[in-house]
Amino acid sequence: MSRTFKALLLSSAALTSSLGAAAEADDLESRIAALEAMVSELKSELAATRAGHEEIVRVQPVAAHPEAAPPPPTDGFRVGDTTLKFGGFVDADVHVTSLSDGAISGSSIARDFYIPGATPIGGNGTTSTDFTAESTRFFLAASRPVGDKTLSAHIEMDFLGSGQGNELVSNSYSPRLRRAFMKYGNWLVGQEWSTFQNTSAIPESASFLILSDGMVFVRQPQIRYTHGNWMFAVENPNTTTLNSGSRDENLIPDVVARYNMSGEFGNVSIAGIARQLRADFGTVEDETFGYGLSVSGRLNVGDTDDIRFNLVGGDGIGRYVGLAASRSTALDPNGELEAVPSFGGLIGWRHAFGETARFSGGYSGLFIDNPDYLADTVTSSVQSVFGAILWDVAPNVTLGTELMHGLREVESGVDGSITRFTFSTKYAF
């Protein structure tokens, strides 16, 4: 209550008491008039006070409420309105490789990981030990809002297959491009895993890649559109032949369609590919049609285990399977291209034990139906098995040991084998 009203009440009480005490001495009407004059004066004072307060409020500057700044990214860092993320891993491996026949050149990428078609046949067996960090990898990812969507990009490199360095002094190796693509809305443009491949089917291993015999494994430039569970893509074409080299005279890109299913069970993909297989030999050119079908995925078993698988087959799928252990076509005696049929697959089991350790193992194979007119030295099948123990010794630090055995057979029935032990140390960041 304001002091003005308190004064009014006190004055009223005092006046009432005074009237009661001196009612006979003074004229009641004159005192009532005096009281009315006092109330009128107090009203005027109250109105003046209120007007002054309203004027102060009117001229007081209103505090601005600036728009809240967007929160900092939880993954990466911001430069302007672009969020950048840098990551990868350092991977140091030791391989001890035993070959039943022949040798693999020290500069070959097959010394760093298992390439089924590179297993030699014929000659004396050899054993070698290699230390390497060439599978070390790094990437840079960027994203920014554009309209009501996000534009993102990804660049990824490692050092495998470099022709720059050697083991004489510095072991210097140049980066190689793995992935480089942009995404906006449903569209992807650039070099990425082939839409024909489901990467979740790749088994975990201590080495760079395992069970590649019957695995769909390709990275290449493409344009991809994704709608719900469906993916559609046109991808870089290339026609490989068994007896006249690799041809690059295609006019029509490889076309891929894929349907993905996922849930608590894991994920399964069904993919189909259609290919123009074409070669131009100057005076003669020919083409044929290739196609393939793949079913692949990862199925959850219990709380921690999973089964990974890939089944694939078709005519002319060549370089898409087995790291090009076979080829897409053969040139028959009449100078015509013939698509080469093949089928294969893999199955892997990943089993966790303890808090940070797990076992990974499996089998893979590719079987090729070569035309009869080809030489007996052409690969007819490749198969492999492996087992690995992996242990997370610290956050993002994994130690792994692995033993694999591979077998390559040619049309004559002669075969050669590879046995490799790998010890790996990997730190992901």
Side-chain angles (χ1 to χ4, degrees):
M1 187 179 293
S2 67
R3 287 183 294 175
T4 303
F5 282 111
K6 286 181 180 180
L8 175 60
L9 293 176
L10 291 172
S11 299
S12 300
L15 182 58
T16 302
S17 176
S18 175
L19 288 172
E24 294 179 357
D26 300 305
D27 180 65
L28 182 59
E29 186 175 346
S30 63
R31 293 189 179 276
I32 291 173
L35 180 60
E36 288 177 349
M38 184 181 295
V39 170
S40 178
E41 182 179 352
L42 289 173
K43 283 182 178 181
S44 298
E45 182 181 344
L46 180 60
T49 302
R50 182 179 298 166
H53 176 71
E54 289 176 352
E55 178 65 19
I56 292 172
V57 172
R58 187 179 64 82
V59 299
Q60 182 78 19
V62 178
H65 296 282
E67 229 178 86
T74 57
D75 192 13
F77 58 95
R78 183 176 287 115
V79 177
D81 58 356
T82 299
T83 299
L84 300 174
K85 179 183 178 183
F86 181 80
F89 57 75
V90 175
D91 187 0
D93 298 331
V94 179
H95 303 298
V96 180
T97 303
S98 176
L99 300 167
S100 65
D101 300 76
I104 298 175
S105 168
S107 61
S108 171
I109 194 173
R111 293 281 285 260
D112 299 312
F113 65 96
Y114 174 55
I115 299 179
T119 302
I121 295 175
N124 297 322
T126 59
T127 301
S128 60
T129 297
D130 294 291
F131 285 64
T132 179
E134 291 177 64
S135 57
T136 294
R137 183 184 308 173
F138 62 92
F139 72 84
L140 177 65
S143 63
R144 60 176 295 175
V146 176
D148 59 348
K149 296 181 176 63
T150 298
L151 174 64
S152 61
H154 185 99
I155 300 173
E156 181 177 287
M157 295 184 177
D158 66 12
F159 303 87
L160 284 166
S162 169
Q164 173 189 342
N166 56 51
E167 301 178 19
L168 297 182
V169 178
S170 65
N171 287 268
S172 302
Y173 300 101
S174 56
R176 65 162 187 166
L177 181 66
R178 287 174 50 87
R179 304 159 69 199
F181 61 85
M182 300 173 290
K183 292 178 68 175
Y184 180 72
N186 296 335
W187 292 93
L188 178 148
V189 179
Q191 180 161 307
E192 174 60 312
W193 296 105
S194 172
T195 311
F196 194 50
Q197 178 182 0
N198 181 348
T199 56
S200 68
I202 300 175
E204 185 179 20
S205 61
S207 56
F208 173 77
L209 183 65
I210 207 72
L211 297 188
S212 53
D213 315 75
M215 179 191 300
V216 177
F217 190 97
V218 172
R219 292 185 301 269
Q220 61 189 3
Q222 61 192 270
I223 300 173
R224 179 192 298 171
Y225 178 77
T226 301
H227 181 72
N229 294 343
W230 285 98
M231 303 171 77
F232 303 94
V234 289
E235 305 191 4
N236 182 61
N238 185 280
T239 299
T240 55
T241 75
L242 285 166
N243 50 359
S244 58
S246 178
R247 318 300 304 185
D248 197 13
E249 294 115 14
N250 292 75
L251 301 176
I252 301 174
D254 294 352
V255 179
V256 183
R258 174 171 148 188
Y259 185 79
N260 303 307
M261 297 170 285
S262 61
E264 293 184 0
F265 67 90
N267 74 82
V268 175
S269 296
I270 302 173
I273 187 170
R275 310 183 64 201
Q276 179 202 40
L277 303 170
R278 182 176 183 270
D280 186 350
F281 302 99
T283 58
V284 178
E285 66 178 63
D286 193 39
E287 66 179 64
T288 187
F289 176 74
Y291 68 91
L293 182 67
S294 172
V295 180
S296 57
R298 181 172 62 199
L299 303 177
N300 298 325
V301 180
D303 294 332
T304 58
D305 293 12
D306 63 60
I307 293 175
R308 308 180 190 201
F309 69 96
N310 184 186
L311 298 174
V312 60
D315 288 359
I317 52 179
R319 64 188 180 88
Y320 280 88
V321 186
L323 303 182
S326 179
R327 301 294 186 264
S328 305
T329 64
L331 190 67
D332 71 14
N334 299 319
E336 296 180 350
L337 288 179
E338 178 181 355
V340 177
S342 61
F343 68 93
L346 69 88
I347 185 166
W349 175 45
R350 181 181 182 273
H351 170 67
F353 55 90
E355 294 293 327
T356 60
R358 56 226 179 253
F359 166 82
S360 182
Y363 163 82
S364 181
L366 175 66
F367 305 91
I368 305 151
D369 186 10
N370 292 301
D372 295 336
Y373 51 80
L374 293 176
D376 288 344
T377 56
V378 173
T379 301
S380 61
S381 68
V382 286
Q383 302 176 70
S384 68
V385 295
F386 92 105
I389 300 292
L390 300 113
W391 179 30
D392 296 335
V393 296
N396 301 324
V397 178
T398 303
L399 300 182
T401 59
E402 176 180 290
L403 184 64
M404 66 80 59
H405 180 74
L407 182 70
R408 174 177 168 242
E409 184 176 343
V410 296
E411 284 293 336
S412 65
V414 178
D415 60 39
S417 67
I418 175 174
T419 301
R420 176 173 287 162
F421 170 80
T422 296
F423 173 76
S424 171
T425 302
K426 182 184 292 186
Y427 168 56
F429 56 88

